[in-house]
């Protein structure tokens, strides 16, 4: 009887370990995807900033040329 109870306890505890490992792996995958999305968002923001800087530079050049005339 004690052996049966011990076997059941071991099986239950082993099941908890598997569930914990699965949960950890799922959480890690979610974080990985979040990091990928954050990198994409950062890259898009950099591109927008570069484009805005180019527009400002062009405006400055046009204004400078207009002032020379």
């Amino acid at each position: 009887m004690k052996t049966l109870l011990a076997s059941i306890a071991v099986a239950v505890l082993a099941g908890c370990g598997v569930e914990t490992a699965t949960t950890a792996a799922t959480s890690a995958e979610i974080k990985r995807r979040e990091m990928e999305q954050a990198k994409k968002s950062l890259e898009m923001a950099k591109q927008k900033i570069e484009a805005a800087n180019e527009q400002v530079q062009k405006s400055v050049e046009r204004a400078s040329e207009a002032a020379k005339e």
Side-chain angles (χ1 to χ4, degrees), residues 46-65:
K46 285 181 180 180
Q47 290 174 357
K48 288 180 180 180
I49 290 169
E50 288 174 11
N53 283 339
E54 288 176 15
Q55 290 296 324
V56 168
Q57 184 63 33
K58 287 178 183 178
S59 295
V60 168
E61 289 172 2
R62 279 188 236 123
S64 177
E65 289 175 8

Side-chain angles (χ1 to χ4, degrees), residues 21-35:
T22 302
T23 301
T26 301
S27 295
E29 178 64 17
I30 290 169
K31 291 294 182 188
R32 184 189 66 79
R33 289 181 185 177
E34 288 175 352
M35 287 297 296

Side-chain angles (χ1 to χ4, degrees), residues 7-20:
S7 297
I8 292 172
V10 168
V12 168
L13 292 175
C16 291
V18 170
E19 182 179 340
T20 301

